[in-house]
């Protein structure tokens, strides 16, 4: 069964995960696509990307939607016609959608060493101190996912991962943290949850409901 999991992230939000075991043909036969989606699919260079795209349509069906209920804005951000919020991520063998009554940004990232090398470019590396090699990789990848997730909510040109999005320091066991976006002379707070699915990190950000308990050390 390629649908791996449906999980409630909170009372307003569900996560749907697909493990992509099928061939392109199997997936293609199982979904109905709008013309615009078919054109996008045909334009994709890699079969892996195509399968990610198709498996997202399968996940939509699991959630009671289909490709006709999904549209994209000019920035590429997905929306549902019924007004619920959706965020989409796909990475190699997995795809995920999160559907919520709240604004939401979700990201799935494979654990790979390159993320550690890139860490100084996107995060406060003091948050990686005193960790085992395994935890260092996990935490750097979570932080990357945090930044992608917040970006997916905000969707604004000019946001820099390193200069504008700050995570509170957190332990991996907590599976949550606080984030502040400092951009355009405004501060905006986010609650983040994360967990691990095989060799992947899943991260999901929400606009924060509790503004007063951010304990991150920010650089600006
Ligand atoms: C848009 C972006 C967040 C996508 O993330 P990604 O890790 O490449 O890919 P994912 O699989 O996680 O997400 C892809 C999905 O994000 C969604 N998406 C694309 N643009 C989006 C946007 N502007 N806002 C919200 N969601 C968006 C789409 O649903 C897309 O999948 P689909 O087109 O097949 O439906 C990413 O490409 C991006 O632009 N990041 C910001 C770049 C940046 O500032 N980098 C800083 C480096 S220090």
């Amino acid at each position: 069964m390629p649908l791996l999991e449906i999980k409630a992230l909170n009372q307003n939000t569900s996560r749907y995960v697909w493990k992509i075991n099928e061939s392109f043909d199997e997936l293609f036969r199982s979904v109905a696509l709008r013309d615009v989606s078919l054109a996008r699919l045909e334009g994709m260079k890699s079969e892996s990307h195509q399968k990610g795209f198709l498996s997202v349509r399968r996940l939509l069906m699991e959630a009671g939607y289909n490709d006709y209920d999904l549209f994209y804005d000019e920035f590429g951000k997905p929306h549902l016609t019924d007004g619920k919020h959706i965020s989409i991520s796909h990475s190699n063998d997995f795809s995920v959608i999160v559907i919520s009554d709240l604004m939401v940004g979700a990201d799935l990232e494979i654990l790979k060493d390159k993320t550690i090398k890139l860490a100084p470019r996107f995060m406060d590396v003091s948050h990686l101190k005193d960790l085992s090699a395994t935890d260092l990789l996990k935490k750097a990848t979570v932080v990357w996912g945090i930044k992608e997730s917040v970006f997916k909510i905000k969707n604004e040109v000019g946001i820099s991962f390193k200069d504008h999005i700050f995570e509170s320091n957190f332990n991996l066991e907590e599976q949550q943290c606080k984030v502040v976006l400092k951009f355009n002379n405004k501060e905006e707070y986010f609650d983040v949850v994360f967990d691990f699915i095989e060799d992947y990190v899943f991260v999901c950000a929400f606009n924060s409901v509790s503004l007063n308990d951010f304990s991150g050390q920010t650089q600006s």
Side-chain angles (χ1 to χ4, degrees):
M1 176 91 170
L3 172 72
L4 195 68
E5 182 208 64
I6 303 174
K7 177 179 172 180
L9 297 181
N10 57 42
Q11 61 182 27
N12 313 98
T13 310
S14 297
R15 165 179 92 177
Y16 300 78
V17 180
W18 194 272
K19 185 164 184 177
I20 307 166
N21 290 325
E22 305 84 350
S23 65
F24 172 88
D25 287 340
E26 272 177 271
L27 279 172
F28 184 72
R29 275 197 302 269
S30 67
V31 296
L33 294 179
R34 296 191 299 149
D35 288 349
V36 64
S37 298
L38 200 54
R40 250 195 95 187
L41 183 74
E42 282 168 358
M44 288 172 190
K45 291 197 179 79
S46 79
E47 188 174 280
S48 162
H49 190 194
Q50 289 179 318
K51 292 207 293 188
F53 182 87
L54 291 170
S55 64
V56 164
R57 273 66 200 164
R58 289 302 308 266
L59 286 173
L60 281 174
M61 289 161 68
E62 297 293 335
Y65 295 94
N66 61 45
D67 188 51
Y68 292 80
D69 301 315
L70 184 73
F71 66 97
Y72 293 85
D73 66 22
E74 65 199 285
F75 304 104
K77 180 170 178 162
H79 300 271
L80 288 169
T81 49
D82 70 357
K84 288 224 182 206
H85 299 280
I86 183 168
S87 192
I88 294 173
S89 186
H90 30 78
S91 176
N92 303 297
D93 299 336
F94 287 95
S95 59
V96 64
I97 64 173
V98 174
I99 295 178
S100 183
D101 298 332
L102 312 166
M103 294 266 275
V104 68
D107 191 50
L108 198 59
E109 291 291 330
I110 194 162
L111 292 167
K112 55 176 188 299
D113 288 336
K114 191 175 163 204
T115 307
I116 297 174
K117 274 205 199 106
L118 294 175
R121 294 202 214 158
F122 69 82
M123 68 177 287
D124 175 356
V125 288
S126 76
H127 291 175
L128 299 177
K129 270 198 300 203
D130 302 326
L131 294 173
S132 68
T134 309
D135 284 357
L136 195 147
L137 174 57
K138 284 183 174 176
K139 194 165 178 186
T141 310
V142 170
V143 175
W144 176 260
I146 286 171
K147 308 228 171 179
E148 290 270 10
S149 300
V150 168
F151 179 82
K152 283 181 177 180
I153 293 183
K154 289 308 295 176
N155 194 18
E156 280 181 34
V157 178
I159 293 177
S160 150
F161 284 7
K162 171 119 184 181
D163 298 334
H164 300 131
I165 304 173
F166 305 100
E167 74 285 359
S168 63
N169 204 357
F170 60 90
N171 294 320
L172 286 169
E173 298 72 39
E174 292 169 343
Q175 301 203 331
Q176 59 181 344
C177 78
K178 300 270 175 195
V179 175
V180 59
L181 170 72
K182 296 184 174 187
F183 186 60
N184 277 347
N185 300 318
K186 276 191 300 199
E187 289 194 2
E188 200 170 333
Y189 293 83
F190 299 88
D191 292 314
V192 166
V193 294
F194 62 85
D195 65 6
F196 298 90
I197 304 170
E198 297 185 11
D199 289 341
Y200 294 77
V201 171
F202 167 81
V203 181
C204 190
F206 302 91
N207 283 103
S208 184
V209 284
S210 55
L211 300 185
N212 301 323
D213 53 354
F214 181 80
S215 57
Q217 288 149 15
T218 64
Q219 299 163 327
S220 65

PDB file of all heavy atoms in Angstrom, residues 40 53 57 72 75-78 88-90 107 109 121-122 144 148 151-152 155 159 161, ligand 1:
ATOM      1  N   ARG A  40       2.218  20.547 -17.535  1.00  0.00           N
ATOM      2  CA  ARG A  40       3.341  20.647 -16.570  1.00  0.00           C
ATOM      3  C   ARG A  40       4.078  19.333 -16.464  1.00  0.00           C
ATOM      4  O   ARG A  40       5.299  19.268 -16.480  1.00  0.00           O
ATOM      5  CB  ARG A  40       2.795  21.019 -15.188  1.00  0.00           C
ATOM      6  CG  ARG A  40       3.137  22.398 -14.751  1.00  0.00           C
ATOM      7  CD  ARG A  40       2.882  22.565 -13.268  1.00  0.00           C
ATOM      8  NE  ARG A  40       4.070  22.344 -12.487  1.00  0.00           N
ATOM      9  CZ  ARG A  40       4.092  22.298 -11.158  1.00  0.00           C
ATOM     10  NH1 ARG A  40       2.980  22.451 -10.482  1.00  0.00           N
ATOM     11  NH2 ARG A  40       5.211  22.105 -10.517  1.00  0.00           N
ATOM     12  N   PHE A  53       5.009  14.437  -8.596  1.00  0.00           N
ATOM     13  CA  PHE A  53       3.838  15.248  -8.982  1.00  0.00           C
ATOM     14  C   PHE A  53       2.573  14.393  -9.004  1.00  0.00           C
ATOM     15  O   PHE A  53       1.529  14.771  -8.470  1.00  0.00           O
ATOM     16  CB  PHE A  53       4.134  15.849 -10.361  1.00  0.00           C
ATOM     17  CG  PHE A  53       3.069  16.747 -10.912  1.00  0.00           C
ATOM     18  CD1 PHE A  53       3.061  18.105 -10.603  1.00  0.00           C
ATOM     19  CD2 PHE A  53       2.089  16.247 -11.761  1.00  0.00           C
ATOM     20  CE1 PHE A  53       2.086  18.944 -11.133  1.00  0.00           C
ATOM     21  CE2 PHE A  53       1.112  17.076 -12.290  1.00  0.00           C
ATOM     22  CZ  PHE A  53       1.112  18.429 -11.973  1.00  0.00           C
ATOM     23  N   ARG A  57      -1.084  13.974  -6.494  1.00  0.00           N
ATOM     24  CA  ARG A  57      -2.510  13.894  -6.924  1.00  0.00           C
ATOM     25  C   ARG A  57      -3.198  12.697  -6.269  1.00  0.00           C
ATOM     26  O   ARG A  57      -4.383  12.736  -5.953  1.00  0.00           O
ATOM     27  CB  ARG A  57      -2.611  13.800  -8.451  1.00  0.00           C
ATOM     28  CG  ARG A  57      -2.645  15.170  -9.164  1.00  0.00           C
ATOM     29  CD  ARG A  57      -1.364  15.924  -9.025  1.00  0.00           C
ATOM     30  NE  ARG A  57      -1.485  17.362  -9.271  1.00  0.00           N
ATOM     31  CZ  ARG A  57      -0.548  18.233  -8.895  1.00  0.00           C
ATOM     32  NH1 ARG A  57       0.559  17.835  -8.308  1.00  0.00           N
ATOM     33  NH2 ARG A  57      -0.724  19.522  -9.115  1.00  0.00           N
ATOM     34  N   TYR A  72      -2.602  27.032  -8.560  1.00  0.00           N
ATOM     35  CA  TYR A  72      -1.355  27.674  -8.112  1.00  0.00           C
ATOM     36  C   TYR A  72      -1.432  29.173  -8.349  1.00  0.00           C
ATOM     37  O   TYR A  72      -1.993  29.614  -9.360  1.00  0.00           O
ATOM     38  CB  TYR A  72      -0.167  27.111  -8.903  1.00  0.00           C
ATOM     39  CG  TYR A  72       0.113  25.653  -8.595  1.00  0.00           C
ATOM     40  CD1 TYR A  72      -0.566  24.635  -9.263  1.00  0.00           C
ATOM     41  CD2 TYR A  72       1.056  25.293  -7.645  1.00  0.00           C
ATOM     42  CE1 TYR A  72      -0.324  23.299  -8.982  1.00  0.00           C
ATOM     43  CE2 TYR A  72       1.312  23.969  -7.351  1.00  0.00           C
ATOM     44  CZ  TYR A  72       0.619  22.973  -8.025  1.00  0.00           C
ATOM     45  OH  TYR A  72       0.864  21.660  -7.742  1.00  0.00           O
ATOM     46  N   PHE A  75       3.287  32.736  -7.802  1.00  0.00           N
ATOM     47  CA  PHE A  75       4.584  32.368  -7.211  1.00  0.00           C
ATOM     48  C   PHE A  75       4.803  30.853  -7.189  1.00  0.00           C
ATOM     49  O   PHE A  75       5.843  30.379  -6.725  1.00  0.00           O
ATOM     50  CB  PHE A  75       4.678  32.907  -5.785  1.00  0.00           C
ATOM     51  CG  PHE A  75       4.470  34.385  -5.677  1.00  0.00           C
ATOM     52  CD1 PHE A  75       3.274  34.897  -5.194  1.00  0.00           C
ATOM     53  CD2 PHE A  75       5.461  35.265  -6.098  1.00  0.00           C
ATOM     54  CE1 PHE A  75       3.078  36.261  -5.115  1.00  0.00           C
ATOM     55  CE2 PHE A  75       5.265  36.625  -6.013  1.00  0.00           C
ATOM     56  CZ  PHE A  75       4.065  37.135  -5.529  1.00  0.00           C
ATOM     57  N   GLY A  76       3.774  30.095  -7.602  1.00  0.00           N
ATOM     58  CA  GLY A  76       3.893  28.631  -7.560  1.00  0.00           C
ATOM     59  C   GLY A  76       3.342  28.035  -6.283  1.00  0.00           C
ATOM     60  O   GLY A  76       3.434  26.826  -6.051  1.00  0.00           O
ATOM     61  N   LYS A  77       2.738  28.870  -5.442  1.00  0.00           N
ATOM     62  CA  LYS A  77       2.163  28.370  -4.188  1.00  0.00           C
ATOM     63  C   LYS A  77       0.813  27.713  -4.472  1.00  0.00           C
ATOM     64  O   LYS A  77      -0.029  28.293  -5.153  1.00  0.00           O
ATOM     65  CB  LYS A  77       1.992  29.530  -3.204  1.00  0.00           C
ATOM     66  CG  LYS A  77       1.398  29.117  -1.871  1.00  0.00           C
ATOM     67  CD  LYS A  77       1.498  30.263  -0.871  1.00  0.00           C
ATOM     68  CE  LYS A  77       0.858  29.867   0.443  1.00  0.00           C
ATOM     69  NZ  LYS A  77       1.285  30.719   1.544  1.00  0.00           N
ATOM     70  N   PRO A  78       0.601  26.503  -3.926  1.00  0.00           N
ATOM     71  CA  PRO A  78      -0.653  25.803  -4.195  1.00  0.00           C
ATOM     72  C   PRO A  78      -1.795  26.267  -3.279  1.00  0.00           C
ATOM     73  O   PRO A  78      -1.559  26.631  -2.125  1.00  0.00           O
ATOM     74  CB  PRO A  78      -0.299  24.343  -3.893  1.00  0.00           C
ATOM     75  CG  PRO A  78       0.785  24.410  -2.876  1.00  0.00           C
ATOM     76  CD  PRO A  78       1.553  25.683  -3.136  1.00  0.00           C
ATOM     77  N   ILE A  88       2.697  21.420  -0.060  1.00  0.00           N
ATOM     78  CA  ILE A  88       3.125  20.224  -0.804  1.00  0.00           C
ATOM     79  C   ILE A  88       4.643  20.124  -0.774  1.00  0.00           C
ATOM     80  O   ILE A  88       5.336  21.134  -0.910  1.00  0.00           O
ATOM     81  CB  ILE A  88       2.656  20.335  -2.276  1.00  0.00           C
ATOM     82  CG1 ILE A  88       1.131  20.304  -2.362  1.00  0.00           C
ATOM     83  CG2 ILE A  88       3.281  19.228  -3.142  1.00  0.00           C
ATOM     84  CD1 ILE A  88       0.572  20.583  -3.766  1.00  0.00           C
ATOM     85  N   SER A  89       5.146  18.894  -0.602  1.00  0.00           N
ATOM     86  CA  SER A  89       6.590  18.678  -0.752  1.00  0.00           C
ATOM     87  C   SER A  89       6.819  17.277  -1.310  1.00  0.00           C
ATOM     88  O   SER A  89       6.074  16.342  -0.979  1.00  0.00           O
ATOM     89  CB  SER A  89       7.285  18.821   0.603  1.00  0.00           C
ATOM     90  OG  SER A  89       8.686  18.757   0.452  1.00  0.00           O
ATOM     91  N   HIS A  90       7.815  17.146  -2.174  1.00  0.00           N
ATOM     92  CA  HIS A  90       8.192  15.807  -2.641  1.00  0.00           C
ATOM     93  C   HIS A  90       9.700  15.716  -2.743  1.00  0.00           C
ATOM     94  O   HIS A  90      10.389  16.674  -3.082  1.00  0.00           O
ATOM     95  CB  HIS A  90       7.524  15.401  -3.961  1.00  0.00           C
ATOM     96  CG  HIS A  90       7.218  16.545  -4.879  1.00  0.00           C
ATOM     97  ND1 HIS A  90       8.152  17.156  -5.656  1.00  0.00           N
ATOM     98  CD2 HIS A  90       6.061  17.189  -5.129  1.00  0.00           C
ATOM     99  CE1 HIS A  90       7.599  18.111  -6.361  1.00  0.00           C
ATOM    100  NE2 HIS A  90       6.320  18.185  -6.050  1.00  0.00           N
ATOM    101  N   ASP A 107       7.647  20.797   4.559  1.00  0.00           N
ATOM    102  CA  ASP A 107       8.814  20.441   3.760  1.00  0.00           C
ATOM    103  C   ASP A 107       9.311  19.053   4.138  1.00  0.00           C
ATOM    104  O   ASP A 107       9.296  18.674   5.306  1.00  0.00           O
ATOM    105  CB  ASP A 107       9.935  21.463   3.989  1.00  0.00           C
ATOM    106  CG  ASP A 107      11.046  21.282   2.971  1.00  0.00           C
ATOM    107  OD1 ASP A 107      10.741  21.217   1.765  1.00  0.00           O
ATOM    108  OD2 ASP A 107      12.215  21.185   3.372  1.00  0.00           O
ATOM    109  N   GLU A 109      12.687  16.661   3.533  1.00  0.00           N
ATOM    110  CA  GLU A 109      14.083  16.743   3.085  1.00  0.00           C
ATOM    111  C   GLU A 109      14.782  15.428   3.360  1.00  0.00           C
ATOM    112  O   GLU A 109      14.687  14.900   4.473  1.00  0.00           O
ATOM    113  CB  GLU A 109      14.838  17.835   3.865  1.00  0.00           C
ATOM    114  CG  GLU A 109      14.421  19.241   3.559  1.00  0.00           C
ATOM    115  CD  GLU A 109      14.813  19.693   2.169  1.00  0.00           C
ATOM    116  OE1 GLU A 109      15.838  19.212   1.633  1.00  0.00           O
ATOM    117  OE2 GLU A 109      14.078  20.527   1.616  1.00  0.00           O
ATOM    118  N   ARG A 121      25.694  28.796   5.655  1.00  0.00           N
ATOM    119  CA  ARG A 121      25.042  29.736   4.738  1.00  0.00           C
ATOM    120  C   ARG A 121      23.576  29.970   5.083  1.00  0.00           C
ATOM    121  O   ARG A 121      22.976  30.933   4.601  1.00  0.00           O
ATOM    122  CB  ARG A 121      25.094  29.214   3.297  1.00  0.00           C
ATOM    123  CG  ARG A 121      26.482  29.149   2.745  1.00  0.00           C
ATOM    124  CD  ARG A 121      26.419  29.172   1.238  1.00  0.00           C
ATOM    125  NE  ARG A 121      27.488  28.371   0.680  1.00  0.00           N
ATOM    126  CZ  ARG A 121      27.479  27.854  -0.524  1.00  0.00           C
ATOM    127  NH1 ARG A 121      26.432  28.016  -1.304  1.00  0.00           N
ATOM    128  NH2 ARG A 121      28.490  27.147  -0.951  1.00  0.00           N
ATOM    129  N   PHE A 122      22.979  29.063   5.867  1.00  0.00           N
ATOM    130  CA  PHE A 122      21.541  29.236   6.089  1.00  0.00           C
ATOM    131  C   PHE A 122      21.115  29.264   7.550  1.00  0.00           C
ATOM    132  O   PHE A 122      19.951  29.532   7.839  1.00  0.00           O
ATOM    133  CB  PHE A 122      20.729  28.183   5.315  1.00  0.00           C
ATOM    134  CG  PHE A 122      20.848  26.755   5.795  1.00  0.00           C
ATOM    135  CD1 PHE A 122      20.094  26.303   6.878  1.00  0.00           C
ATOM    136  CD2 PHE A 122      21.697  25.864   5.150  1.00  0.00           C
ATOM    137  CE1 PHE A 122      20.189  24.987   7.297  1.00  0.00           C
ATOM    138  CE2 PHE A 122      21.812  24.546   5.585  1.00  0.00           C
ATOM    139  CZ  PHE A 122      21.048  24.108   6.662  1.00  0.00           C
ATOM    140  N   TRP A 144      17.033  23.429   7.942  1.00  0.00           N
ATOM    141  CA  TRP A 144      16.786  23.737   6.519  1.00  0.00           C
ATOM    142  C   TRP A 144      15.286  23.610   6.214  1.00  0.00           C
ATOM    143  O   TRP A 144      14.686  24.478   5.582  1.00  0.00           O
ATOM    144  CB  TRP A 144      17.591  22.802   5.617  1.00  0.00           C
ATOM    145  CG  TRP A 144      17.298  23.024   4.163  1.00  0.00           C
ATOM    146  CD1 TRP A 144      16.470  22.284   3.374  1.00  0.00           C
ATOM    147  CD2 TRP A 144      17.785  24.089   3.337  1.00  0.00           C
ATOM    148  NE1 TRP A 144      16.410  22.822   2.109  1.00  0.00           N
ATOM    149  CE2 TRP A 144      17.210  23.924   2.053  1.00  0.00           C
ATOM    150  CE3 TRP A 144      18.644  25.161   3.564  1.00  0.00           C
ATOM    151  CZ2 TRP A 144      17.466  24.795   0.999  1.00  0.00           C
ATOM    152  CZ3 TRP A 144      18.903  26.037   2.497  1.00  0.00           C
ATOM    153  CH2 TRP A 144      18.326  25.843   1.240  1.00  0.00           C
ATOM    154  N   GLU A 148      12.579  26.426   4.782  1.00  0.00           N
ATOM    155  CA  GLU A 148      11.734  26.196   3.588  1.00  0.00           C
ATOM    156  C   GLU A 148      10.249  26.316   3.958  1.00  0.00           C
ATOM    157  O   GLU A 148       9.455  26.878   3.205  1.00  0.00           O
ATOM    158  CB  GLU A 148      11.993  24.789   3.024  1.00  0.00           C
ATOM    159  CG  GLU A 148      13.356  24.618   2.368  1.00  0.00           C
ATOM    160  CD  GLU A 148      13.353  24.938   0.877  1.00  0.00           C
ATOM    161  OE1 GLU A 148      12.364  25.472   0.355  1.00  0.00           O
ATOM    162  OE2 GLU A 148      14.371  24.662   0.229  1.00  0.00           O
ATOM    163  N   PHE A 151       9.269  29.858   4.562  1.00  0.00           N
ATOM    164  CA  PHE A 151       9.239  30.517   3.251  1.00  0.00           C
ATOM    165  C   PHE A 151       7.951  30.155   2.501  1.00  0.00           C
ATOM    166  O   PHE A 151       7.332  30.998   1.859  1.00  0.00           O
ATOM    167  CB  PHE A 151      10.465  30.122   2.417  1.00  0.00           C
ATOM    168  CG  PHE A 151      10.462  30.767   1.065  1.00  0.00           C
ATOM    169  CD1 PHE A 151      10.920  32.061   0.904  1.00  0.00           C
ATOM    170  CD2 PHE A 151       9.952  30.095  -0.037  1.00  0.00           C
ATOM    171  CE1 PHE A 151      10.879  32.680  -0.341  1.00  0.00           C
ATOM    172  CE2 PHE A 151       9.913  30.698  -1.286  1.00  0.00           C
ATOM    173  CZ  PHE A 151      10.385  31.996  -1.438  1.00  0.00           C
ATOM    174  N   LYS A 152       7.533  28.905   2.599  1.00  0.00           N
ATOM    175  CA  LYS A 152       6.331  28.482   1.865  1.00  0.00           C
ATOM    176  C   LYS A 152       5.069  29.166   2.406  1.00  0.00           C
ATOM    177  O   LYS A 152       4.122  29.359   1.668  1.00  0.00           O
ATOM    178  CB  LYS A 152       6.169  26.960   1.922  1.00  0.00           C
ATOM    179  CG  LYS A 152       7.108  26.230   0.973  1.00  0.00           C
ATOM    180  CD  LYS A 152       6.887  24.744   1.042  1.00  0.00           C
ATOM    181  CE  LYS A 152       7.776  23.997   0.054  1.00  0.00           C
ATOM    182  NZ  LYS A 152       7.565  22.538   0.118  1.00  0.00           N
ATOM    183  N   ASN A 155       6.085  33.231   1.297  1.00  0.00           N
ATOM    184  CA  ASN A 155       6.022  33.354  -0.146  1.00  0.00           C
ATOM    185  C   ASN A 155       6.369  34.761  -0.629  1.00  0.00           C
ATOM    186  O   ASN A 155       5.711  35.293  -1.504  1.00  0.00           O
ATOM    187  CB  ASN A 155       4.574  32.975  -0.542  1.00  0.00           C
ATOM    188  CG  ASN A 155       4.417  32.713  -2.009  1.00  0.00           C
ATOM    189  OD1 ASN A 155       5.388  32.475  -2.712  1.00  0.00           O
ATOM    190  ND2 ASN A 155       3.195  32.782  -2.507  1.00  0.00           N
ATOM    191  N   ILE A 159      13.169  37.244   1.029  1.00  0.00           N
ATOM    192  CA  ILE A 159      13.429  36.602   2.321  1.00  0.00           C
ATOM    193  C   ILE A 159      14.703  35.760   2.210  1.00  0.00           C
ATOM    194  O   ILE A 159      14.817  34.909   1.330  1.00  0.00           O
ATOM    195  CB  ILE A 159      12.243  35.704   2.755  1.00  0.00           C
ATOM    196  CG1 ILE A 159      11.009  36.575   3.043  1.00  0.00           C
ATOM    197  CG2 ILE A 159      12.616  34.886   3.987  1.00  0.00           C
ATOM    198  CD1 ILE A 159       9.763  35.785   3.400  1.00  0.00           C
ATOM    199  N   PHE A 161      17.139  33.007   4.063  1.00  0.00           N
ATOM    200  CA  PHE A 161      17.066  31.991   5.119  1.00  0.00           C
ATOM    201  C   PHE A 161      17.945  32.385   6.304  1.00  0.00           C
ATOM    202  O   PHE A 161      17.564  32.262   7.444  1.00  0.00           O
ATOM    203  CB  PHE A 161      17.506  30.627   4.573  1.00  0.00           C
ATOM    204  CG  PHE A 161      16.478  29.936   3.715  1.00  0.00           C
ATOM    205  CD1 PHE A 161      15.310  30.569   3.344  1.00  0.00           C
ATOM    206  CD2 PHE A 161      16.674  28.617   3.303  1.00  0.00           C
ATOM    207  CE1 PHE A 161      14.356  29.931   2.557  1.00  0.00           C
ATOM    208  CE2 PHE A 161      15.729  27.963   2.525  1.00  0.00           C
ATOM    209  CZ  PHE A 161      14.572  28.620   2.144  1.00  0.00           C
TER     210      PHE A 161
HETATM  211  C1  LIG B   1       9.574  27.057  -3.484  1.00  0.00           C
HETATM  212  C2  LIG B   1      10.488  26.196  -2.669  1.00  0.00           C
HETATM  213  C3  LIG B   1      10.216  26.516  -1.210  1.00  0.00           C
HETATM  214  C4  LIG B   1      10.203  24.721  -2.963  1.00  0.00           C
HETATM  215  O1  LIG B   1      10.930  23.888  -2.108  1.00  0.00           O
HETATM  216  P1  LIG B   1      11.738  22.600  -2.618  1.00  0.00           P
HETATM  217  O2  LIG B   1      12.428  22.016  -1.426  1.00  0.00           O
HETATM  218  O3  LIG B   1      12.538  22.966  -3.797  1.00  0.00           O
HETATM  219  O4  LIG B   1      10.678  21.555  -3.131  1.00  0.00           O
HETATM  220  P2  LIG B   1       9.487  20.856  -2.357  1.00  0.00           P
HETATM  221  O5  LIG B   1       9.267  19.552  -3.004  1.00  0.00           O
HETATM  222  O6  LIG B   1       9.679  20.877  -0.881  1.00  0.00           O
HETATM  223  O7  LIG B   1       8.269  21.811  -2.656  1.00  0.00           O
HETATM  224  C5  LIG B   1       7.766  21.910  -3.929  1.00  0.00           C
HETATM  225  C6  LIG B   1       6.348  22.406  -3.799  1.00  0.00           C
HETATM  226  O8  LIG B   1       6.336  23.656  -3.130  1.00  0.00           O
HETATM  227  C7  LIG B   1       5.189  24.353  -3.561  1.00  0.00           C
HETATM  228  N1  LIG B   1       5.616  25.718  -3.861  1.00  0.00           N
HETATM  229  C8  LIG B   1       6.304  26.156  -4.942  1.00  0.00           C
HETATM  230  N2  LIG B   1       6.500  27.497  -4.854  1.00  0.00           N
HETATM  231  C9  LIG B   1       5.937  27.878  -3.689  1.00  0.00           C
HETATM  232  C10 LIG B   1       5.821  29.128  -3.044  1.00  0.00           C
HETATM  233  N3  LIG B   1       6.294  30.249  -3.592  1.00  0.00           N
HETATM  234  N4  LIG B   1       5.188  29.198  -1.855  1.00  0.00           N
HETATM  235  C11 LIG B   1       4.688  28.078  -1.289  1.00  0.00           C
HETATM  236  N5  LIG B   1       4.750  26.851  -1.861  1.00  0.00           N
HETATM  237  C12 LIG B   1       5.383  26.767  -3.050  1.00  0.00           C
HETATM  238  C13 LIG B   1       4.613  23.639  -4.774  1.00  0.00           C
HETATM  239  O9  LIG B   1       3.445  22.971  -4.370  1.00  0.00           O
HETATM  240  C14 LIG B   1       5.716  22.675  -5.132  1.00  0.00           C
HETATM  241  O10 LIG B   1       5.303  21.423  -5.630  1.00  0.00           O
HETATM  242  P3  LIG B   1       4.393  21.264  -6.956  1.00  0.00           P
HETATM  243  O11 LIG B   1       4.703  22.436  -7.822  1.00  0.00           O
HETATM  244  O12 LIG B   1       4.771  19.950  -7.515  1.00  0.00           O
HETATM  245  O13 LIG B   1       2.979  21.310  -6.449  1.00  0.00           O
HETATM  246  C15 LIG B   1      11.978  26.457  -2.999  1.00  0.00           C
HETATM  247  O14 LIG B   1      12.258  26.052  -4.265  1.00  0.00           O
HETATM  248  C16 LIG B   1      12.387  27.895  -2.837  1.00  0.00           C
HETATM  249  O15 LIG B   1      12.223  28.703  -3.695  1.00  0.00           O
HETATM  250  N6  LIG B   1      12.978  28.192  -1.706  1.00  0.00           N
HETATM  251  C17 LIG B   1      13.422  29.513  -1.401  1.00  0.00           C
HETATM  252  C18 LIG B   1      14.732  29.753  -2.016  1.00  0.00           C
HETATM  253  C19 LIG B   1      15.670  30.378  -1.063  1.00  0.00           C
HETATM  254  O16 LIG B   1      15.441  31.439  -0.533  1.00  0.00           O
HETATM  255  N7  LIG B   1      16.778  29.735  -0.803  1.00  0.00           N
HETATM  256  C20 LIG B   1      17.706  30.275   0.111  1.00  0.00           C
HETATM  257  C21 LIG B   1      18.987  29.584   0.052  1.00  0.00           C
HETATM  258  S1  LIG B   1      20.012  30.138   1.367  1.00  0.00           S
END
